Amino acid sequence: LGANERQLGAFLWSEALLIYALGLTSGMVIGWLIAWILIKLMTHVFDPPPEALAIPWTYLAVLALAGLIALAGSVLWQLRKRSEPLSFAIREV
């Protein structure tokens, strides 16, 4: 509603990166908490119990990179789609 292309791009990129960072952080915290609880519960089941939590860093890095690629693709698609008139976008809905 009155924003120029640069302002719209800045808004879309900042919003997408903020949501990505919050999702990545909360996902890692929740995942670590669940893994910690499972290790505490399964300590008496396995003999010998695990000494430490195994973290698959490569898998997590690939997953984070895939999220960034999806984020960039969606923001760029929205910015490209912005170039068409709003009346066409409303008709599609």
Side-chain angles (χ1 to χ4, degrees), residues 81 87-93:
K81 193 173 180 180
S87 59
F88 291 138
I90 292 173
R91 284 184 200 141
E92 287 180 10
V93 176

Side-chain angles (χ1 to χ4, degrees), residues 28-78:
M28 288 182 73
V29 168
I30 291 169
W32 177 82
L33 183 63
I34 291 172
W36 181 76
I37 290 171
L38 285 173
I39 286 177
K40 290 296 180 187
L41 289 173
M42 301 298 264
T43 298
H44 301 291
V45 175
F46 295 110
D47 190 31
E51 294 178 10
L53 181 62
I55 302 173
W57 290 112
T58 305
Y59 173 72
L60 293 175
V62 169
L63 202 59
L65 181 63
L68 277 176
I69 291 170
L71 177 138
S74 66
V75 170
L76 291 174
W77 183 70
Q78 286 298 325

